[in-house]
mmCIF file of all heavy atoms in Angstrom:
data_model
loop_
_atom_site.group_PDB
_atom_site.id
_atom_site.type_symbol
_atom_site.label_atom_id
_atom_site.label_comp_id
_atom_site.label_asym_id
_atom_site.label_seq_id
_atom_site.Cartn_x
_atom_site.Cartn_y
_atom_site.Cartn_z
ATOM 1 N N LYS A 83 27.304 -4.062 -8.089
ATOM 2 C CA LYS A 83 27.550 -3.499 -6.760
ATOM 3 C C LYS A 83 26.303 -3.090 -6.002
ATOM 4 O O LYS A 83 26.153 -3.318 -4.799
ATOM 5 C CB LYS A 83 28.512 -2.284 -6.825
ATOM 6 C CG LYS A 83 29.987 -2.659 -7.169
ATOM 7 C CD LYS A 83 30.805 -1.432 -7.209
ATOM 8 C CE LYS A 83 32.287 -1.822 -7.474
ATOM 9 N NZ LYS A 83 33.153 -0.599 -7.483
ATOM 10 N N SER A 84 25.303 -2.563 -6.754
ATOM 11 C CA SER A 84 24.088 -2.154 -6.109
ATOM 12 C C SER A 84 23.301 -3.332 -5.638
ATOM 13 O O SER A 84 22.552 -3.278 -4.669
ATOM 14 C CB SER A 84 23.227 -1.331 -7.101
ATOM 15 O OG SER A 84 22.720 -2.142 -8.130
ATOM 16 N N ILE A 85 23.417 -4.484 -6.347
ATOM 17 C CA ILE A 85 22.719 -5.698 -5.923
ATOM 18 C C ILE A 85 23.386 -6.299 -4.716
ATOM 19 O O ILE A 85 22.717 -6.708 -3.731
ATOM 20 C CB ILE A 85 22.719 -6.712 -7.100
ATOM 21 C CG1 ILE A 85 21.802 -6.220 -8.248
ATOM 22 C CG2 ILE A 85 22.166 -8.098 -6.634
ATOM 23 C CD1 ILE A 85 21.882 -7.068 -9.499
ATOM 24 N N THR A 86 24.738 -6.377 -4.684
ATOM 25 C CA THR A 86 25.436 -6.995 -3.590
ATOM 26 C C THR A 86 25.651 -6.104 -2.396
ATOM 27 O O THR A 86 25.878 -6.542 -1.293
ATOM 28 C CB THR A 86 26.828 -7.459 -4.082
ATOM 29 O OG1 THR A 86 27.569 -6.358 -4.564
ATOM 30 C CG2 THR A 86 26.737 -8.476 -5.154
ATOM 31 N N GLY A 87 25.438 -4.789 -2.645
ATOM 32 C CA GLY A 87 25.550 -3.842 -1.502
ATOM 33 C C GLY A 87 26.968 -3.375 -1.212
ATOM 34 O O GLY A 87 27.255 -2.823 -0.185
ATOM 35 N N ILE A 88 27.951 -3.617 -2.183
ATOM 36 C CA ILE A 88 29.295 -3.269 -1.922
ATOM 37 C C ILE A 88 29.674 -1.900 -2.478
ATOM 38 O O ILE A 88 30.823 -1.472 -2.402
ATOM 39 C CB ILE A 88 30.297 -4.287 -2.545
ATOM 40 C CG1 ILE A 88 30.113 -4.418 -4.024
ATOM 41 C CG2 ILE A 88 30.049 -5.651 -1.859
ATOM 42 C CD1 ILE A 88 31.128 -5.393 -4.639
ATOM 43 N N SER A 89 28.712 -1.147 -3.015
ATOM 44 C CA SER A 89 28.977 0.204 -3.405
ATOM 45 C C SER A 89 29.220 1.075 -2.194
ATOM 46 O O SER A 89 28.638 0.878 -1.149
ATOM 47 C CB SER A 89 27.826 0.799 -4.231
ATOM 48 O OG SER A 89 26.592 0.688 -3.509
ATOM 49 N N PRO A 90 30.127 2.070 -2.294
ATOM 50 C CA PRO A 90 30.444 2.934 -1.156
ATOM 51 C C PRO A 90 29.238 3.699 -0.645
ATOM 52 O O PRO A 90 28.336 4.001 -1.422
ATOM 53 C CB PRO A 90 31.531 3.900 -1.666
ATOM 54 C CG PRO A 90 31.344 3.828 -3.148
ATOM 55 C CD PRO A 90 30.901 2.477 -3.490
ATOM 56 N N VAL A 91 29.219 3.975 0.623
ATOM 57 C CA VAL A 91 28.078 4.697 1.258
ATOM 58 C C VAL A 91 27.768 5.975 0.589
ATOM 59 O O VAL A 91 26.636 6.364 0.336
ATOM 60 C CB VAL A 91 28.332 4.928 2.764
ATOM 61 C CG1 VAL A 91 27.243 5.765 3.354
ATOM 62 C CG2 VAL A 91 28.503 3.603 3.481
ATOM 63 N N GLU A 92 28.855 6.742 0.240
ATOM 64 C CA GLU A 92 28.674 8.092 -0.347
ATOM 65 C C GLU A 92 27.997 7.989 -1.749
ATOM 66 O O GLU A 92 27.487 8.955 -2.291
ATOM 67 C CB GLU A 92 29.950 8.847 -0.435
ATOM 68 C CG GLU A 92 31.002 8.176 -1.279
ATOM 69 C CD GLU A 92 31.912 7.232 -0.427
ATOM 70 O OE1 GLU A 92 31.483 6.877 0.671
ATOM 71 O OE2 GLU A 92 33.003 6.864 -0.897
ATOM 72 N N ALA A 93 28.036 6.762 -2.391
ATOM 73 C CA ALA A 93 27.523 6.635 -3.716
ATOM 74 C C ALA A 93 26.057 6.254 -3.699
ATOM 75 O O ALA A 93 25.395 6.222 -4.707
ATOM 76 C CB ALA A 93 28.331 5.567 -4.511
ATOM 77 N N ARG A 94 25.493 5.906 -2.524
ATOM 78 C CA ARG A 94 24.137 5.463 -2.468
ATOM 79 C C ARG A 94 23.153 6.658 -2.542
ATOM 80 O O ARG A 94 23.418 7.717 -1.980
ATOM 81 C CB ARG A 94 23.876 4.663 -1.190
ATOM 82 C CG ARG A 94 24.686 3.360 -1.119
ATOM 83 C CD ARG A 94 24.463 2.664 0.174
ATOM 84 N NE ARG A 94 25.410 1.516 0.245
ATOM 85 C CZ ARG A 94 25.645 0.835 1.349
ATOM 86 N NH1 ARG A 94 25.051 1.204 2.503
ATOM 87 N NH2 ARG A 94 26.508 -0.153 1.386
ATOM 88 N N HIS A 95 22.061 6.411 -3.192
ATOM 89 C CA HIS A 95 21.086 7.512 -3.358
ATOM 90 C C HIS A 95 19.865 7.252 -2.473
ATOM 91 O O HIS A 95 19.712 6.152 -1.903
ATOM 92 C CB HIS A 95 20.625 7.570 -4.824
ATOM 93 C CG HIS A 95 19.775 6.403 -5.231
ATOM 94 N ND1 HIS A 95 20.184 5.084 -5.103
ATOM 95 C CD2 HIS A 95 18.489 6.364 -5.740
ATOM 96 C CE1 HIS A 95 19.188 4.317 -5.530
ATOM 97 N NE2 HIS A 95 18.201 5.039 -5.949
ATOM 98 N N LEU A 96 19.039 8.206 -2.334
ATOM 99 C CA LEU A 96 17.808 8.030 -1.622
ATOM 100 C C LEU A 96 16.731 7.486 -2.527
ATOM 101 O O LEU A 96 16.101 8.161 -3.284
ATOM 102 C CB LEU A 96 17.331 9.408 -1.031
ATOM 103 C CG LEU A 96 16.108 9.343 -0.114
ATOM 104 C CD1 LEU A 96 16.433 8.555 1.135
ATOM 105 C CD2 LEU A 96 15.675 10.763 0.271
ATOM 106 N N GLY A 97 16.608 6.179 -2.525
ATOM 107 C CA GLY A 97 15.753 5.530 -3.459
ATOM 108 C C GLY A 97 14.493 4.937 -2.776
ATOM 109 O O GLY A 97 14.096 5.376 -1.721
ATOM 110 N N ALA A 98 13.864 3.999 -3.456
ATOM 111 C CA ALA A 98 12.583 3.459 -2.965
ATOM 112 C C ALA A 98 12.764 2.716 -1.690
ATOM 113 O O ALA A 98 11.875 2.734 -0.832
ATOM 114 C CB ALA A 98 11.966 2.566 -4.054
ATOM 115 N N TYR A 99 13.905 2.039 -1.464
ATOM 116 C CA TYR A 99 14.107 1.364 -0.212
ATOM 117 C C TYR A 99 14.076 2.355 0.923
ATOM 118 O O TYR A 99 13.426 2.144 1.995
ATOM 119 C CB TYR A 99 15.464 0.617 -0.193
ATOM 120 C CG TYR A 99 15.459 -0.625 -1.045
ATOM 121 C CD1 TYR A 99 16.574 -0.899 -1.861
ATOM 122 C CD2 TYR A 99 14.452 -1.548 -1.042
ATOM 123 C CE1 TYR A 99 16.667 -1.997 -2.664
ATOM 124 C CE2 TYR A 99 14.474 -2.678 -1.823
ATOM 125 C CZ TYR A 99 15.614 -2.938 -2.629
ATOM 126 O OH TYR A 99 15.685 -4.044 -3.403
ATOM 127 N N GLU A 100 14.845 3.405 0.786
ATOM 128 C CA GLU A 100 14.936 4.409 1.885
ATOM 129 C C GLU A 100 13.602 5.087 2.148
ATOM 130 O O GLU A 100 13.228 5.281 3.294
ATOM 131 C CB GLU A 100 16.013 5.406 1.491
ATOM 132 C CG GLU A 100 17.456 4.966 1.650
ATOM 133 C CD GLU A 100 17.865 4.050 0.473
ATOM 134 O OE1 GLU A 100 17.139 3.940 -0.508
ATOM 135 O OE2 GLU A 100 18.929 3.419 0.579
ATOM 136 N N LYS A 101 12.922 5.445 1.060
ATOM 137 C CA LYS A 101 11.666 6.163 1.245
ATOM 138 C C LYS A 101 10.528 5.248 1.749
ATOM 139 O O LYS A 101 9.899 5.510 2.746
ATOM 140 C CB LYS A 101 11.222 6.802 -0.082
ATOM 141 C CG LYS A 101 9.925 7.600 0.067
ATOM 142 C CD LYS A 101 9.479 8.224 -1.237
ATOM 143 C CE LYS A 101 8.199 9.011 -1.077
ATOM 144 N NZ LYS A 101 7.769 9.621 -2.396
ATOM 145 N N LEU A 102 10.281 4.121 1.043
ATOM 146 C CA LEU A 102 9.155 3.270 1.383
ATOM 147 C C LEU A 102 9.384 2.414 2.618
ATOM 148 O O LEU A 102 8.514 2.303 3.497
ATOM 149 C CB LEU A 102 8.758 2.439 0.166
ATOM 150 C CG LEU A 102 8.218 3.226 -1.013
ATOM 151 C CD1 LEU A 102 7.983 2.245 -2.224
ATOM 152 C CD2 LEU A 102 6.971 3.948 -0.726
ATOM 153 N N ASN A 103 10.521 1.758 2.629
ATOM 154 C CA ASN A 103 10.773 0.808 3.737
ATOM 155 C C ASN A 103 11.122 1.489 5.033
ATOM 156 O O ASN A 103 10.806 0.977 6.118
ATOM 157 C CB ASN A 103 11.913 -0.121 3.371
ATOM 158 C CG ASN A 103 11.574 -1.061 2.214
ATOM 159 O OD1 ASN A 103 10.404 -1.078 1.765
ATOM 160 N ND2 ASN A 103 12.529 -1.776 1.710
ATOM 161 N N ARG A 104 11.762 2.682 4.938
ATOM 162 C CA ARG A 104 12.297 3.303 6.167
ATOM 163 C C ARG A 104 11.599 4.590 6.514
ATOM 164 O O ARG A 104 10.962 4.714 7.610
ATOM 165 C CB ARG A 104 13.797 3.564 5.998
ATOM 166 C CG ARG A 104 14.475 4.173 7.271
ATOM 167 C CD ARG A 104 15.900 4.585 6.870
ATOM 168 N NE ARG A 104 15.874 5.763 5.899
ATOM 169 C CZ ARG A 104 16.971 6.084 5.244
ATOM 170 N NH1 ARG A 104 18.120 5.452 5.373
ATOM 171 N NH2 ARG A 104 16.871 7.136 4.427
ATOM 172 N N ASP A 105 11.632 5.573 5.632
ATOM 173 C CA ASP A 105 11.221 6.924 5.975
ATOM 174 C C ASP A 105 9.720 7.068 6.171
ATOM 175 O O ASP A 105 9.292 7.825 7.059
ATOM 176 C CB ASP A 105 11.655 7.912 4.873
ATOM 177 C CG ASP A 105 13.182 8.023 4.778
ATOM 178 O OD1 ASP A 105 13.871 7.490 5.639
ATOM 179 O OD2 ASP A 105 13.654 8.537 3.759
ATOM 180 N N THR A 106 8.896 6.319 5.424
ATOM 181 C CA THR A 106 7.454 6.400 5.651
ATOM 182 C C THR A 106 7.072 5.853 7.033
ATOM 183 O O THR A 106 6.183 6.436 7.711
ATOM 184 C CB THR A 106 6.652 5.600 4.572
ATOM 185 O OG1 THR A 106 7.051 4.228 4.646
ATOM 186 C CG2 THR A 106 6.895 6.201 3.188
ATOM 187 N N ALA A 107 7.757 4.824 7.465
ATOM 188 C CA ALA A 107 7.454 4.254 8.786
ATOM 189 C C ALA A 107 7.943 5.223 9.882
ATOM 190 O O ALA A 107 7.173 5.425 10.869
ATOM 191 C CB ALA A 107 8.210 2.932 8.961
ATOM 192 N N ILE A 108 9.069 5.833 9.712
ATOM 193 C CA ILE A 108 9.543 6.769 10.723
ATOM 194 C C ILE A 108 8.661 8.005 10.849
ATOM 195 O O ILE A 108 8.258 8.412 11.907
ATOM 196 C CB ILE A 108 11.011 7.204 10.411
ATOM 197 C CG1 ILE A 108 11.927 6.049 10.524
ATOM 198 C CG2 ILE A 108 11.462 8.343 11.300
ATOM 199 C CD1 ILE A 108 13.372 6.324 9.998
ATOM 200 N N ARG A 109 8.267 8.550 9.656
ATOM 201 C CA ARG A 109 7.388 9.662 9.688
ATOM 202 C C ARG A 109 6.025 9.377 10.257
ATOM 203 O O ARG A 109 5.475 10.168 11.072
ATOM 204 C CB ARG A 109 7.175 10.183 8.271
ATOM 205 C CG ARG A 109 6.426 11.535 8.121
ATOM 206 C CD ARG A 109 7.152 12.685 8.757
ATOM 207 N NE ARG A 109 8.510 12.855 8.183
ATOM 208 C CZ ARG A 109 8.751 13.590 7.086
ATOM 209 N NH1 ARG A 109 7.754 14.183 6.468
ATOM 210 N NH2 ARG A 109 9.973 13.760 6.630
ATOM 211 N N MET A 110 5.459 8.239 9.961
ATOM 212 C CA MET A 110 4.197 7.798 10.519
ATOM 213 C C MET A 110 4.304 7.625 12.015
ATOM 214 O O MET A 110 3.373 7.984 12.806
ATOM 215 C CB MET A 110 3.729 6.513 9.832
ATOM 216 C CG MET A 110 2.392 6.037 10.303
ATOM 217 S SD MET A 110 0.947 7.074 9.810
ATOM 218 C CE MET A 110 0.944 6.854 8.057
ATOM 219 N N CYS A 111 5.394 7.002 12.525
ATOM 220 C CA CYS A 111 5.576 6.788 13.910
ATOM 221 C C CYS A 111 5.695 8.137 14.641
ATOM 222 O O CYS A 111 5.153 8.280 15.735
ATOM 223 C CB CYS A 111 6.832 5.940 14.161
ATOM 224 S SG CYS A 111 7.174 5.538 15.850
ATOM 225 N N GLU A 112 6.438 9.060 14.058
ATOM 226 C CA GLU A 112 6.588 10.392 14.709
ATOM 227 C C GLU A 112 5.252 11.025 14.858
ATOM 228 O O GLU A 112 4.957 11.622 15.881
ATOM 229 C CB GLU A 112 7.518 11.217 13.906
ATOM 230 C CG GLU A 112 9.002 10.802 13.930
ATOM 231 C CD GLU A 112 9.871 11.579 12.956
ATOM 232 O OE1 GLU A 112 9.350 12.120 11.947
ATOM 233 O OE2 GLU A 112 11.120 11.627 13.171
ATOM 234 N N ALA A 113 4.449 10.984 13.791
ATOM 235 C CA ALA A 113 3.098 11.640 13.813
ATOM 236 C C ALA A 113 2.196 10.948 14.849
ATOM 237 O O ALA A 113 1.411 11.582 15.548
ATOM 238 C CB ALA A 113 2.491 11.588 12.390
ATOM 239 N N PHE A 114 2.257 9.618 14.911
ATOM 240 C CA PHE A 114 1.403 8.845 15.814
ATOM 241 C C PHE A 114 1.760 9.176 17.242
ATOM 242 O O PHE A 114 0.850 9.418 18.062
ATOM 243 C CB PHE A 114 1.625 7.365 15.558
ATOM 244 C CG PHE A 114 0.707 6.464 16.341
ATOM 245 C CD1 PHE A 114 -0.639 6.721 16.535
ATOM 246 C CD2 PHE A 114 1.198 5.309 16.916
ATOM 247 C CE1 PHE A 114 -1.456 5.885 17.282
ATOM 248 C CE2 PHE A 114 0.402 4.446 17.651
ATOM 249 C CZ PHE A 114 -0.902 4.726 17.865
ATOM 250 N N THR A 115 3.035 9.158 17.638
ATOM 251 C CA THR A 115 3.433 9.467 18.971
ATOM 252 C C THR A 115 3.167 10.890 19.369
ATOM 253 O O THR A 115 3.098 11.231 20.551
ATOM 254 C CB THR A 115 4.889 9.111 19.253
ATOM 255 O OG1 THR A 115 5.721 9.778 18.252
ATOM 256 C CG2 THR A 115 5.114 7.623 19.113
ATOM 257 N N ALA A 116 3.090 11.793 18.392
ATOM 258 C CA ALA A 116 2.850 13.208 18.654
ATOM 259 C C ALA A 116 1.356 13.493 18.800
ATOM 260 O O ALA A 116 0.982 14.553 19.321
ATOM 261 C CB ALA A 116 3.421 14.079 17.532
ATOM 262 N N SER A 117 0.518 12.539 18.416
ATOM 263 C CA SER A 117 -0.938 12.749 18.520
ATOM 264 C C SER A 117 -1.462 12.559 19.908
ATOM 265 O O SER A 117 -0.887 11.697 20.656
ATOM 266 C CB SER A 117 -1.666 11.830 17.543
ATOM 267 O OG SER A 117 -1.513 10.463 17.975
ATOM 268 N N LYS A 118 -2.471 13.248 20.305
ATOM 269 C CA LYS A 118 -3.060 13.106 21.588
ATOM 270 C C LYS A 118 -4.293 12.198 21.501
ATOM 271 O O LYS A 118 -5.260 12.551 20.779
ATOM 272 C CB LYS A 118 -3.450 14.468 22.160
ATOM 273 C CG LYS A 118 -4.019 14.435 23.557
ATOM 274 C CD LYS A 118 -4.335 15.816 24.072
ATOM 275 C CE LYS A 118 -4.905 15.778 25.493
ATOM 276 N NZ LYS A 118 -5.229 17.121 26.002
ATOM 277 N N PRO A 119 -4.274 11.062 22.125
ATOM 278 C CA PRO A 119 -5.421 10.111 21.993
ATOM 279 C C PRO A 119 -6.715 10.718 22.549
ATOM 280 O O PRO A 119 -6.702 11.481 23.494
ATOM 281 C CB PRO A 119 -4.986 8.905 22.810
ATOM 282 C CG PRO A 119 -3.971 9.400 23.759
ATOM 283 C CD PRO A 119 -3.246 10.521 23.039
ATOM 284 N N THR A 120 -7.787 10.345 21.887
ATOM 285 C CA THR A 120 -9.113 10.839 22.339
ATOM 286 C C THR A 120 -9.456 10.192 23.693
ATOM 287 O O THR A 120 -8.872 9.200 24.077
ATOM 288 C CB THR A 120 -10.188 10.498 21.288
ATOM 289 O OG1 THR A 120 -10.171 9.034 21.091
ATOM 290 C CG2 THR A 120 -9.934 11.192 20.012
ATOM 291 N N GLN A 121 -10.418 10.794 24.344
ATOM 292 C CA GLN A 121 -10.867 10.319 25.652
ATOM 293 C C GLN A 121 -11.377 8.882 25.491
ATOM 294 O O GLN A 121 -12.117 8.578 24.588
ATOM 295 C CB GLN A 121 -11.936 11.215 26.201
ATOM 296 C CG GLN A 121 -12.333 10.916 27.670
ATOM 297 C CD GLN A 121 -13.341 11.941 28.180
ATOM 298 O OE1 GLN A 121 -13.813 12.802 27.452
ATOM 299 N NE2 GLN A 121 -13.614 11.853 29.479
ATOM 300 N N GLY A 122 -10.978 8.042 26.398
ATOM 301 C CA GLY A 122 -11.412 6.675 26.353
ATOM 302 C C GLY A 122 -10.257 5.722 25.926
ATOM 303 O O GLY A 122 -10.337 4.497 26.170
#
């Protein structure tokens, strides 16, 4: 079920896909858009 993706949503855990593929990108994007670019 974990390979085919048919396990119920409530049974899914926060694994490497969620952290590496999704959450790191979101966190990095949030930090980037919150930063004030230097002059120039």
Side-chain angles (χ1 to χ4, degrees):
K83 287 182 177 181
S84 71
I85 293 173
T86 58
I88 60 176
S89 54
V91 174
E92 61 270 16
R94 294 178 189 165
H95 72 303
L96 186 64
Y99 288 137
E100 286 76 11
K101 181 180 179 182
L102 294 177
N103 294 353
R104 184 190 67 195
D105 297 348
T106 59
I108 294 171
R109 187 65 58 85
M110 182 67 68
C111 182
E112 289 173 338
F114 184 44
T115 54
S117 67
K118 184 178 180 180
T120 56
Q121 189 174 6

